[in-house]
Amino acid sequence: MSTSLPTRPRVFLDVQSGFDFLGRITIELFSDKTPKTAENFRAICTPPSSAQPLTYKGSRFHRIIDEFMIQGGDITAGHGTGGMSIYGPVFEDENIGWREIDAVGLVCMANRDKGTNSSQFFITLAPCQHLNAKHTVFGHVIKGMDVCGRMAKVQVDKGDRPLSEIGISHCGELQPKPRSNEAHPFPSKRRDSERSEAGETRDTAGTVNDLYHLVEEATPGLTKTAVAAPLLDQCLHKITHRDLHGRNVVIADVARLFLGLGLRSDQDHPT
């Protein structure tokens, strides 16, 4: 008798340094092992609302140590002294020690001591067994360790703080891929894939979404249509320059998307 594996939620973090889009980190959450901690992270990755106003969007990675870990998630102070959870300022450790911190790409809660989890987290760049039973392991990177690797190589100061700001430009929860008979949110005659600079295959619709949010982040107070063409062309060149055909497919989708936006609204971003 076969047993089905639990369905674990997946979330993403889009990482950016200035105008440079470094890539997307996709994380699978161990909701079957650490349900409370996984739900905290999942919720803060999703768009904020009146009921749940917390978000990782716009926060930064404030501590990076090559061959050890990258740390972020301080959504209140931004430099490692703050944080907030969906349960309040802090919450208790959950199922701590259920597995060793013995691999690259584990996502763990950062804390000051026992029972001080909030929103801060770190991603391991090497096995860290000396941290076993000290931090809750609640997820692992399933795509985007190349992004973490590039982040690990940035210059930092004596306190391991990046000299150039590296932040989360967009984040969210990934839904299961639609079946062949289900409509896709960005319909296209062809749903080709393109290669990013790191060689990671990315779906056309996902790339269009990324570029849309890059424009929103980079151009506050300006109309979408006024800046879309030059900025999108720059972003597209960086993301899809290795695949000319894929680039053309994305350009067509982006043009259609922004034409629709332009028809509906050409107003400045609300303040």
Side-chain angles (χ1 to χ4, degrees):
M1 182 177 180
S2 62
T3 57
S4 59
L5 293 174
T7 301
R8 291 169 167 172
R10 294 182 176 186
V11 296
F12 68 89
L13 306 173
D14 284 347
V15 183
Q16 191 164 335
S17 178
F19 284 97
D20 293 327
F21 179 63
L22 301 184
R24 171 170 290 188
I25 301 171
T26 302
I27 298 169
E28 183 177 71
L29 303 176
F30 299 138
S31 55
D32 54 322
K33 300 294 185 181
T34 56
K36 187 173 182 178
T37 309
E39 176 56 22
N40 180 65
F41 192 80
R42 186 206 65 78
I44 302 177
C45 282
T46 58
S49 64
S50 56
Q52 198 294 99
L54 306 179
T55 181
Y56 285 123
K57 183 176 180 178
S59 66
R60 68 185 69 174
F61 289 92
H62 61 270
R63 188 174 179 226
I64 297 178
I65 304 176
D66 193 12
E67 299 182 352
F68 178 28
M69 62 87 195
I70 57 177
Q71 183 174 340
D74 184 350
I75 59 177
T76 57
H79 47 62
T81 62
M84 179 66 67
S85 81
I86 62 173
Y87 311 113
V90 296
F91 64 98
E92 292 297 316
D93 301 321
E94 182 182 27
N95 200 10
I96 199 162
W98 75 271
R99 69 155 293 165
E100 293 188 349
I101 306 177
D102 58 355
V104 172
L106 293 178
V107 188
C108 312
M109 293 302 294
N111 57 42
R112 299 184 304 276
D113 203 345
K114 292 182 179 180
T116 57
N117 302 288
S118 58
S119 53
Q120 289 195 49
F121 64 94
F122 63 89
I123 301 173
T124 61
L125 301 175
C128 306
Q129 281 96 334
H130 63 287
L131 298 179
N132 287 344
K134 295 180 181 178
H135 300 269
T136 299
V137 182
F138 66 90
H140 66 142
V141 174
I142 59 173
K143 202 173 185 180
M145 277 308 298
D146 58 308
V147 180
C148 297
R150 290 197 293 275
M151 295 167 64
K153 300 303 180 183
V154 302
Q155 290 188 316
V156 296
D157 63 17
K158 293 181 180 179
D160 303 313
R161 189 182 308 278
L163 297 182
S164 57
E165 185 172 308
I166 298 178
I168 298 172
S169 61
H170 187 49
C171 54
E173 182 174 6
L174 295 170
Q175 301 301 324
K177 290 184 177 180
R179 297 175 183 174
S180 57
N181 61 341
E182 293 178 348
H184 194 276
F186 291 94
S188 176
K189 291 182 180 179
R190 298 189 63 178
R191 294 192 56 215
D192 299 88
S193 295
E194 61 277 349
R195 290 276 177 179
S196 70
E197 283 189 79
E200 179 181 347
T201 302
R202 306 191 61 187
D203 181 81
T204 295
T207 301
V208 172
N209 239 348
D210 292 342
L211 297 178
Y212 169 75
H213 288 292
L214 279 173
V215 171
E216 281 198 320
E217 291 293 327
T219 57
L222 298 177
T223 61
K224 294 182 179 74
T225 53
V227 300
L231 185 58
L232 285 175
D233 186 66
Q234 178 185 355
C235 295
L236 283 164
H237 177 73
K238 290 182 178 179
I239 294 175
T240 64
H241 77 283
R242 289 191 177 184
D243 185 344
L244 183 60
H245 176 69
R247 174 179 161 80
N248 291 338
V249 170
V250 178
I251 287 174
D253 279 356
V254 169
R256 183 168 63 252
L257 173 63
F258 274 85
L259 178 61
L261 289 172
L263 290 172
R264 288 197 297 273
S265 174
D266 196 30
Q267 303 297 316
D268 288 347
H269 286 269
T271 57

